[in-house]
Amino acid sequence: MSKKFTGVGVSAGRVIGRVRRMPEPILAPADGAPLPAGVSAEEETARLTEASKAVATGLKERAALATGDAQAVLKATALMASDRSLLKSATKLVTGGTCAESAIWEAADAVATQLTALGGYMAERAGDVLDVRARIVAELRGVPAPGIPDSDEPFILAAVDLAPADTATLDPAKVLALVTSDGGPQSHTAIIARSLGLPAIVAAPETTELADGDLVFVDGIDGQVVTDPSEAEEHLATTYANREVLPDFSGTGELSDGYRVPLLSNVGSGEDAQAAAAAGAEGVGLLRTEFCFLGKDKEPTHEEQVAAYGAVFAAFAGKKVVVRTLDAGADKPLPFLTDSSEPNPALGVRGYRTDLTSPGVLERQLKAIAQATSEHEADVWVMAPMISTPAEAQDFAEMAKAAGLATAGTMIEVPSAAVLAGQILQRCDFVSIGTNDLTQYTMAADRQLGTLAELNDPWQPAVLHMVAATTAGAQSAGGKPVGVCGEAAADPALAVVLVGLGVNTLSMNKRALAPVSAVLRTVDLANAQRLAKLALDAPSAELARSVVRAELSELDRFGL
Ligand code: PEP
Ligand code: MG
């Protein structure tokens, strides 16, 4: 009998395929467990050697078929699987009477600890050792290896949630769609799915029932997974597959009456920036600089920072690039900046607030941004995350100007900042609304929690009222610029509402540029304002979304 599971559609698309489940994580064996009864140390050593060889061969085969980053990750892991010193230490433990599983577990632990103590690049390799260990133990146990399953046929990946490391080896040609029981609209799974253009549903708890081989229909638009799809669902999938192909983004965002809405891109590196420029982005609306810091155990040097920012500026000569200063804390902890023991990290010392506990880091970052600016042609704007008061906005703007940066603004992510946007804008040059955090803080719903996904929806009318308060504040401060750089800007229907609410620029992942532009071009400003009013007056996120979507026929035409 067909079953229907409901979740949150976070990336559009309708597809039918067979499920492959993400394997269960490999649990640790008992500490120092002895050799199995009747098995000699020689036999156990042979088993261990065979298992590590099988893992190395499997990884090499996959590396040969992969490209780019995924290939590099797989090659490095394959090398680690046949690492002699790791196997030698494990064999020594087996000779001393420990079983193969416990021996490789303990030996890898020691190597990972040493690497972590060395710091820098070596510390970053500790994760590879632990990954190899889990693969060898899986081989010894005869259970599936951890990580994205391998398959000759494209499949629908069902998981609890995906970790950043899993996504490095996710091959978009093999995966038809993603379905997770946990994870919210802002989870890693959701962000990766959107950037790869894969249909995805998160926060669908009952999908834990799905098993390998189940045939399912995934509807990333309506947030539904249906087992044993009917003809009606086959029709929906076929119609989606045959949808009209979206025109490429022309490089000019505008409404049907010519009202300009520059469409910018969110990037985390020089490579991202080049790809965004190639997709026609009119500039960068959010450079997440913490991506240059993540995985580091100490502050990057001035030179490292200048090079990282410069690589982005080089891709956008003569265009606007909005650099956000470090946003560490909460879901993006950094060992040298954030306190991992805080009881409530989302409400703790994160973003701009780390200047309180680690003075100097922000000032040095601003100097590095200024240096990179002086070496390139980009029109660089700088902004701080997690600003809560006009005084903070003023302090930040003064710091930025003292570093030689001409245009300084703040993000609007906290309701207090939205309410006082007018006063904030009397003290700085622009604001950019981070709807991901603004939604989490307006609705008091952790953005990472799948169970609260319904609250954590930027279509919530309360969040739209926060956006309206921000644009009203900007008007009162003489019409200073307001952008949106949260994921809301990448939803074509919501983009229309944001423009109707008075937002001037939208910044999104590069894949969203074409769909957002196509839909914006079908409405004029008066119509966008009318739709914004309908959404503001709706009593729920669901009604706000449906009342607006019903008026935008292009969404169906392009399968959005
Ligand atoms: C946001 O909060 O909307 C935002 C753009 O910042 P981040 O997602 O990096 O927290
Ligand atoms: Mg944010």
Side-chain angles (χ1 to χ4, degrees):
M1 207 189 67
S2 173
K3 282 189 182 169
K4 194 178 269 186
F5 307 121
T6 303
V8 181
V10 290
S11 183
R14 292 184 169 123
V15 72
I16 290 179
R18 295 214 177 260
V19 168
R20 290 295 310 267
R21 280 213 74 86
M22 190 82 177
E24 293 296 317
I26 300 293
L27 299 179
D31 249 3
L35 290 168
V39 175
S40 70
E42 289 71 32
E43 286 165 335
E44 193 67 347
T45 303
R47 233 164 60 80
L48 177 60
T49 314
E50 281 309 307
S52 69
K53 264 193 200 149
V55 168
T57 310
L59 288 166
K60 272 186 215 149
E61 282 169 5
R62 284 179 61 198
L65 299 174
T67 51
D69 284 354
Q71 188 176 56
V73 169
L74 288 166
K75 274 189 178 164
T77 323
L79 276 180
M80 198 62 83
S82 38
D83 183 72
R84 280 178 195 214
S85 62
L86 173 65
L87 286 177
K88 214 165 139 194
S89 331
T91 307
K92 215 164 148 193
L93 290 167
V94 173
T95 311
T98 305
C99 75
E101 283 182 25
S102 301
I104 191 74
W105 201 269
E106 195 179 315
D109 231 10
V111 176
T113 311
Q114 277 169 11
L115 289 173
T116 308
L118 288 172
Y121 173 81
M122 300 310 277
E124 287 163 33
R125 299 281 68 78
D128 297 346
V129 179
L130 299 181
D131 180 38
V132 157
R133 164 175 91 172
R135 287 173 186 278
I136 296 177
V137 171
E139 183 71 27
L140 286 165
R141 288 179 187 168
V143 299
I148 308 284
D150 200 17
S151 166
D152 293 336
E153 293 296 316
F155 57 92
I156 287 169
L157 181 63
V160 173
D161 198 4
L162 294 180
D166 300 325
T167 53
T169 54
L170 194 153
D171 176 359
K174 284 275 175 68
V175 178
L176 296 169
L178 301 176
V179 174
T180 64
S181 51
D182 211 332
Q186 260 65 254
S187 65
H188 219 84
T189 308
I191 291 171
I192 286 290
R194 280 190 288 261
S195 74
L196 294 177
L198 292 174
I201 295 172
V202 299
E206 288 158 335
T207 56
T208 48
E209 284 180 30
L210 293 174
D212 273 353
D214 285 354
L215 188 69
V216 295
F217 168 64
V218 175
D219 186 339
I221 299 170
D222 288 338
Q224 292 196 328
V225 183
V226 185
T227 62
D228 295 325
S230 65
E231 269 182 29
E233 279 122 16
E234 275 172 29
H235 177 73
L236 281 173
T238 314
T239 311
Y240 185 81
N242 297 329
R243 70 197 180 280
E244 206 171 307
V245 177
L246 269 172
D248 284 343
F249 176 46
S250 68
T252 304
E254 60 187 3
L255 302 185
S256 63
D257 53 4
Y259 178 83
R260 280 281 282 133
V261 184
L263 300 184
L264 316 167
S265 198
N266 293 352
V267 304
S269 65
E271 214 174 288
D272 274 3
Q274 279 171 14
E282 297 185 64
V284 168
L286 169 63
L287 166 58
R288 287 186 163 100
T289 58
E290 59 277 7
F291 286 162
C292 313
F293 291 68
L294 285 182
K296 299 255 189 310
D297 54 3
K298 57 181 192 309
E299 185 184 346
T301 63
H302 178 77
E303 289 70 28
E304 282 171 335
Q305 294 192 50
V306 172
Y309 310 145
V312 174
F313 300 165
F316 283 97
K319 307 254 176 77
K320 175 162 119 181
V321 176
V322 184
V323 183
R324 178 175 75 185
T325 55
L326 199 51
D327 184 22
D331 54 333
K332 292 172 281 194
L334 284 180
F336 60 92
L337 263 185
T338 46
D339 171 6
S340 57
S341 66
E342 271 185 356
N344 210 342
L347 300 182
V349 179
R350 63 166 292 200
Y352 175 70
R353 301 169 181 185
T354 54
D355 191 46
L356 291 172
T357 47
S358 305
V361 177
L362 177 58
E363 228 172 312
R364 287 190 287 276
Q365 184 181 24
L366 289 168
K367 277 199 186 122
I369 298 169
Q371 174 71 34
T373 304
S374 71
E375 295 172 4
H376 293 273
E377 306 296 318
D379 174 18
V380 175
W381 296 19
V382 66
M383 67 180 177
M386 281 296 286
I387 290 290
S388 309
T389 66
E392 285 178 354
Q394 177 158 350
D395 289 346
F396 175 73
E398 282 169 5
M399 265 173 114
K401 307 244 156 145
L405 290 154
T407 313
T410 72
M411 287 197 73
I412 301 287
E413 296 177 289
V414 182
S416 61
V419 170
L420 294 188
Q423 291 198 42
I424 284 181
L425 277 165
Q426 278 156 17
R427 292 161 174 83
C428 66
D429 304 312
F430 71 98
V431 293
S432 180
I433 306 177
T435 45
N436 309 338
D437 277 313
L438 185 59
T439 305
Q440 127 161 302
Y441 295 124
T442 301
M443 305 308 295
D446 186 335
R447 67 191 262 187
Q448 300 197 86
L449 270 189
T451 27
L452 301 180
E454 245 179 79
L455 290 176
N456 223 315
D457 182 339
W459 279 97
Q460 284 287 351
V463 177
L464 302 178
H465 278 275
M466 287 292 165
V467 174
T470 307
T471 53
Q475 283 313 312
S476 75
K480 288 193 178 164
V482 179
V484 169
C485 63
E487 291 289 313
D491 172 338
L494 192 45
V496 170
V497 169
L498 295 172
V499 172
L501 289 174
V503 167
N504 308 111
T505 55
L506 299 171
S507 187
M508 61 205 74
N509 75 70
K510 65 177 191 309
R511 276 185 184 273
L513 292 165
V516 168
S517 166
V519 176
L520 288 182
R521 281 170 182 269
T522 64
V523 290
D524 59 17
L525 185 59
N527 209 9
Q529 286 166 340
R530 184 180 64 81
L531 293 175
K533 175 94 177 59
L534 288 178
L536 274 180
D537 291 345
S540 70
E542 202 185 338
L543 286 170
R545 181 189 279 109
S546 59
V547 75
V548 171
R549 288 186 65 93
E551 298 227 15
L552 296 167
S553 58
E554 299 301 291
L555 296 172
D556 274 346
R557 191 173 138 210
F558 294 120
L560 298 170

